[in-house]
């Protein structure tokens, strides 16, 4: 199954928004799972990384088909996806696709 990991540079001062976003997703976990199913995503994880120059999200995803997943996300009418889109606009400065070196899974 395709896997991606993205390094997302956060805008200066956006760390409170990042923490609010993560808490919002935890509180609305059931809706998050519905959107992941709609998008064909089996795993989505986000890690916070503090570097000397900025704060970053390390975003890991595994899904059936990334093109279909992106299309479903863009068309989604779930409130949680609208919230996520707004968060991206407010907090993400840039992103870099990381090179996959190993993806081992028993599932």
């Amino acid at each position: 199954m395709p896997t991606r990991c993205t390094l997302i540079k956060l805008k200066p001062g956006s760390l409170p928004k990042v923490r609010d976003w993560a808490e919002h997703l935890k509180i609305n976990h059931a809706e998050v799972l519905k959107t992941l199913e709609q998008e064909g995503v089996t795993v989505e994880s986000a890690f916070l990384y503090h570097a000397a120059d900025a704060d970053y999200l390390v975003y890991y995803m595994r899904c059936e088909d990334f093109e279909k997943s992106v299309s479903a996300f863009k068309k989604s009418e779930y409130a949680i996806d609208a919230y996520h889109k707004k968060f991206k606009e407010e907090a993400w400065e840039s992103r870099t696709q990381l090179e996959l070196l190993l993806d081992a899974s028993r599932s």
Side-chain angles (χ1 to χ4, degrees):
M1 186 168 292
T3 303
R4 286 191 183 161
C5 190
T6 306
L7 184 65
I8 300 159
K9 185 175 184 181
L10 298 169
K11 293 179 181 176
S14 66
L15 200 51
K17 288 180 186 178
V18 172
R19 294 196 185 281
D20 288 345
W21 162 82
E23 188 61 29
H24 185 80
L25 295 184
K26 289 176 191 174
I27 291 168
N28 294 282
H29 188 72
E31 189 174 3
V32 169
L33 294 179
K34 287 179 188 176
T35 66
L36 293 181
E37 182 177 355
Q38 175 183 301
E39 297 166 5
V41 175
T42 57
V43 177
E44 183 170 306
S45 302
F47 301 86
L48 185 58
Y49 171 60
H50 303 286
D53 68 324
D55 292 316
Y56 293 84
L57 286 179
V58 178
Y59 217 96
Y60 172 86
M61 291 181 68
R62 179 177 283 177
C63 76
E64 297 163 4
D65 181 318
F66 277 102
E67 286 184 25
K68 288 181 183 178
S69 177
V70 170
S71 178
F73 176 72
K74 287 180 180 179
K75 295 176 187 175
S76 175
E77 295 182 9
Y78 283 104
I80 200 77
D81 284 337
Y83 177 85
H84 185 66
K85 289 171 190 173
K86 183 179 179 198
F87 164 73
K88 286 170 65 173
E89 291 173 12
E90 293 176 349
W92 292 18
E93 184 173 304
S94 62
R95 62 184 178 176
T96 303
Q97 194 75 35
L98 302 179
E99 179 183 358
L100 177 63
L101 297 178
L102 173 68
D103 185 34
S105 175
R106 293 186 53 210
S107 57

